[in-house]
Amino acid sequence: MAAKKNSTSTQKSSTKKPSTTKASTKKPAPAKSAAGPTVPAWHVAPDKTKAWKKLTALSKTGNLMTGKSMDLRKAFAKDKSRGTKFAVEALGIHLDYSKNLIDGATMDALFALATECGVAKHMKAMFAGDAINVTENRAVLHTALRAPKNAVIKVDGKNIVPDVHEVLARMEKFANAVRSGAWRGHTGKRIRTVVNIGIGGSDLGPVMAYEALKDFTERSIDCRYVSNIDGEDFYEKTRDLDPEETLFVVSSKTFTTIETMTNAQTARAWSLKKLKDPAAVAKHFVAVSTNAAEVAKFGIDTANMFGFWDWVGGRYSMDSAIGLSTMVAVGPDNFREMLAGFHDMDEHFRTAPARKNLPYLLALIGIWNRDFLGCETVAVLPYCQYLHRLSAYFQQLEMESNGKRVQLDGSPCRWQTSPVIWGEPGTNGQHAFYQMIHQGTSPVPCDLIAFAQPLHAVGSEAAGEHHDILLANIFAQGEALAFGKTPAEVRAEGTPEWLVPHRTFTGNRPTNTMLIEKLSPRMLGRIIALYEHKVFVQGSIWRVNSFDQWGVELGKVLAKRIIPELSGAKPAKTAHDSSTNALIAKYRALRGR
């Protein structure tokens, strides 16, 4: 369903009065001369704003690597309140952004940039259900997935919230049946393993949430995730499983995604090798899809098909039916708590003043580091083993959303867009790549994420409490990255002069530190929504469409052409470039084809 602009949104929160926004009653404006959509006049290109010119001037006062642009040692010495002045707290998340190379003038210009680029108006249009995904003429309403039951969000004149909650209710019924043992396999055995088959947004979110909330899961049911078309992924995930006790969740909106459907067909054959009866498919497979015909053709009872909508992008779908495996694992109550956390952050983003708004702050500091200080990457470093898949999840969220080179009107961006997102949990990363972060030639802004309360207080009097050691490390890393170690300090330790340069740390390496109360389903929802809205603000300023992903298409199209040339089903062609032709020929020779 392609959402139009004649939509209205009324969202109610348990703690706030109902908010009502109403979009224009006009249909989306037709493209001028078939050249594309008309971009609203308020959606100003960033380099056309006064704030951008101001920020450019501020960034030219020095060089990030030498510290001439700002010396954090001097900044903290001059302003004893800096550590609290550049910090904000909301929803149990304390964000300290004082160790970035910013001052009051920088922040003033960044907030002015957001205003001049129309971020607030763009946000209002998103919540209202306007078709802000202009290349696909769709609304962007992942926020509706976690709206309370009494909210009203209209698309094409229809309130979509009842549809969302109807799917949630069906998910709950199914999850409870699997968890209680009421849902049995074809031979009457209880389900012991749930295997989610999906890729991209149909995998990264569910597996991240499953790992993040492991402490809240039903441990008698194991969840596994198959995504890679590499057959070794499927083999390793199923090699020790019993088909009689295994349930597959096939997650594909169209039920045609080649990786997912190849793995699903392999799973079907694997199951029937033991179960024999094709009727068994209905008890061992369910679908998250909107293509009832293909689901039925596969052998899945469409009564066990859980749908979602075109106004939900894949990388924003973990709180939709795509999260079915998550709900089975953690239970409906905890899943609902996670949704409530998403909604908490939605309301904070929608209502909090920009200077106290967590997504705004993360986004604007990211803009400063990317576009004005030349930082090409961002490391997301959770000091929490449960969040070991968080960085991989944020890679898709940010890089697929904002990894664009053209503006909404199709003209080239004259500024940098998405940085490379990467990272691993601390303290493992400290013994892998922190050397480069501290002393390398490329500055790497870091998001350091930690929880004040551990889920498990592990330790002994002799060894020390693990969580204290963990938190000491994250605080120490932020301090070391900011302030470094001067040559004079190194010499004072009696270091030989030839060794001084090797042991010197320049400092002035920017970090955000998020100290959060405790990991829970609700808090996980808040964290994910925080980054979703950060991406939105940055995409608004960069004037790109954060909600399409045409960049993934070309390689898939070419792969479909090459597949039969590799298998021997068709003769090898010479229609490719010389390199690709040679590789295809070499592969066929090595496979004896």
Side-chain angles (χ1 to χ4, degrees):
M1 175 175 64
K4 304 293 193 301
K5 281 190 176 181
N6 57 338
S7 309
T8 59
S9 173
T10 304
Q11 299 191 28
K12 297 181 180 180
S13 168
S14 58
T15 59
K16 295 182 177 69
K17 293 182 179 180
S19 61
T20 303
T21 55
K22 188 172 183 179
S24 169
T25 57
K26 297 180 180 179
K27 300 282 185 178
K32 293 182 178 179
S33 304
T38 300
V39 179
W42 47 261
H43 218 322
V44 180
D47 63 347
K48 300 298 183 183
T49 64
K50 293 179 180 179
W52 189 271
K53 294 177 176 63
K54 174 67 173 176
L55 288 162
T56 300
L58 288 169
S59 68
K60 288 182 177 178
T61 58
N63 180 278
L64 173 62
M65 294 304 301
T66 64
K68 291 178 182 178
S69 58
M70 172 175 285
D71 188 314
L72 285 174
R73 286 192 176 212
K74 292 179 180 178
F76 273 84
K78 183 178 179 180
D79 184 355
K80 301 298 184 183
S81 67
R82 182 180 172 90
T84 53
K85 178 185 296 183
F86 295 111
V88 67
E89 187 164 334
L91 301 176
I93 300 172
H94 178 85
L95 170 63
D96 176 357
Y97 59 100
S98 63
K99 295 187 179 78
N100 285 281
L101 302 183
I102 51 96
D103 56 18
T106 308
M107 295 309 299
D108 287 346
L110 287 167
F111 287 118
L113 178 66
T115 299
E116 289 186 74
C117 289
V119 172
K121 293 178 180 178
H122 198 209
M123 174 178 64
K124 185 177 180 180
M126 178 181 71
F127 278 99
D130 289 6
I132 65 168
N133 178 350
V134 296
T135 63
E136 297 175 306
N137 192 34
R138 292 175 181 170
V140 174
L141 281 172
H142 46 279
T143 55
L145 297 173
R146 53 266 196 158
K149 209 167 188 177
N150 59 352
V152 176
I153 303 173
K154 291 185 178 181
V155 175
D156 290 334
K158 179 186 177 184
N159 182 16
I160 61 174
V161 175
D163 291 345
V164 171
H165 284 270
E166 186 273 332
V167 172
L168 280 172
R170 292 181 57 238
M171 290 169 62
E172 289 184 7
K173 183 178 179 180
F174 172 78
N176 283 329
V178 174
R179 288 165 62 86
S180 69
W183 180 287
R184 298 273 170 165
H186 184 65
T187 61
K189 288 189 176 181
R190 184 168 182 164
I191 298 299
R192 298 294 181 187
T193 307
V194 175
V195 180
N196 185 85
I197 298 178
I199 197 165
S202 299
D203 169 76
L204 288 165
V207 71
M208 179 276 294
Y210 176 68
E211 294 295 333
L213 300 178
K214 202 73 170 281
D215 196 48
F216 300 86
T217 61
E218 173 52 62
R219 296 301 177 108
S220 66
I221 299 175
D222 186 25
C223 287
R224 301 186 184 185
Y225 295 84
V226 174
S227 58
N228 203 324
I229 193 61
D230 186 342
E232 292 169 4
D233 189 20
F234 182 87
Y235 171 78
E236 286 295 336
K237 298 294 173 53
T238 59
R239 59 181 294 276
D240 58 341
L241 299 184
D242 181 351
E244 294 181 82
E245 299 176 338
T246 303
L247 176 73
F248 291 93
V249 179
V250 184
S251 299
S252 173
K253 182 184 289 188
T254 63
F255 231 63
T256 59
T257 305
I258 189 168
E259 297 95 338
T260 299
M261 296 318 301
T262 301
N263 280 325
Q265 291 292 350
T266 300
R268 190 179 191 277
W270 175 86
S271 299
L272 293 181
K273 186 176 181 180
K274 181 175 183 179
L275 298 174
K276 309 298 183 184
D277 185 359
V281 172
K283 297 301 294 181
H284 291 271
F285 287 79
V286 297
V288 180
S289 180
T290 57
N291 192 337
E294 287 298 319
V295 168
K297 182 179 176 182
F298 185 91
I300 297 175
D301 186 344
T302 53
N304 299 319
M305 183 182 83
F306 303 87
F308 54 113
W309 305 270
D310 282 342
W311 39 260
V312 180
R315 57 193 172 276
Y316 295 91
S317 65
M318 62 170 284
D319 46 342
S320 71
I322 290 295
L324 184 62
S325 61
T326 308
M327 184 183 280
V328 172
V330 303
D333 289 345
N334 281 323
F335 193 86
R336 290 274 190 183
E337 272 294 294
M338 184 179 72
L339 296 183
F342 274 99
H343 183 65
D344 291 341
M345 188 57 70
D346 293 342
E347 288 297 287
H348 168 76
F349 176 52
R350 190 176 62 81
T351 63
R355 291 178 182 271
K356 298 291 185 181
N357 195 301
L358 294 172
Y360 264 85
L361 287 164
L362 278 186
L364 294 175
I365 290 165
I367 293 279
W368 172 245
N369 289 333
R370 180 72 177 112
D371 287 285
F372 300 98
L373 299 185
C375 301
E376 296 182 347
T377 80
V378 172
V380 179
L381 307 171
Y383 278 63
C384 173
Q385 186 59 32
Y386 283 121
L387 295 182
H388 70 99
R389 293 292 294 166
L390 188 70
S391 301
Y393 177 75
F394 285 156
Q395 281 179 346
Q396 186 198 26
L397 177 63
E398 298 208 27
M399 295 168 71
E400 193 167 270
S401 294
N402 288 339
K404 312 290 171 61
R405 57 170 293 276
V406 298
Q407 302 177 55
L408 292 169
D409 60 7
S411 60
C413 292
R414 299 177 294 274
W415 45 86
Q416 298 299 317
T417 59
S418 176
V420 175
I421 306 297
W422 59 290
E424 285 287 333
T427 58
N428 290 0
Q430 293 177 198
H431 294 267
F433 50 77
Y434 276 43
Q435 166 63 45
M436 186 273 281
I437 294 177
H438 281 284
Q439 291 186 312
T441 56
S442 298
V444 180
C446 301
D447 284 354
L448 304 168
I449 303 171
F451 298 89
Q453 298 292 334
L455 292 177
H456 301 282
V458 177
S460 65
E461 186 174 336
E465 212 258 325
H466 284 235
H467 205 65
D468 286 351
I469 299 172
L470 180 70
L471 270 289
N473 271 274
I474 192 172
F475 298 151
Q477 291 300 323
E479 187 175 21
L481 287 164
F483 306 119
K485 193 172 186 179
T486 67
E489 289 170 333
V490 176
R491 292 187 184 98
E493 296 174 342
T495 303
E497 190 61 31
W498 67 267
L499 191 55
V500 169
H502 299 276
R503 297 185 63 178
T504 296
F505 294 73
T506 61
N508 291 314
R509 310 276 174 138
T511 62
N512 295 305
T513 300
M514 278 173 271
L515 183 58
I516 304 170
E517 291 176 1
K518 190 173 184 176
L519 180 60
S520 66
R522 191 159 192 150
M523 189 57 76
L524 180 66
R526 292 173 180 175
I527 294 168
I528 302 307
L530 165 58
Y531 277 82
E532 287 179 348
H533 297 316
K534 168 203 165 184
V535 166
F536 175 86
V537 173
Q538 290 185 332
S540 295
I541 291 172
W542 285 325
R543 209 178 184 226
V544 298
N545 184 1
S546 301
F547 305 102
D548 62 8
Q549 55 278 335
W550 300 106
V552 306
E553 296 298 322
L554 179 58
K556 291 163 62 175
V557 171
L558 296 177
K560 288 181 180 179
R561 286 174 47 192
I562 294 172
I563 288 169
E565 297 175 28
L566 299 182
S567 66
K570 291 185 178 181
K573 295 182 179 179
T574 58
H576 307 287
D577 62 274
S578 60
S579 171
T580 305
N581 287 333
L583 289 168
I584 291 172
K586 183 67 175 177
Y587 176 81
R588 286 172 63 107
L590 290 171
R591 293 297 301 272
R593 295 172 177 168

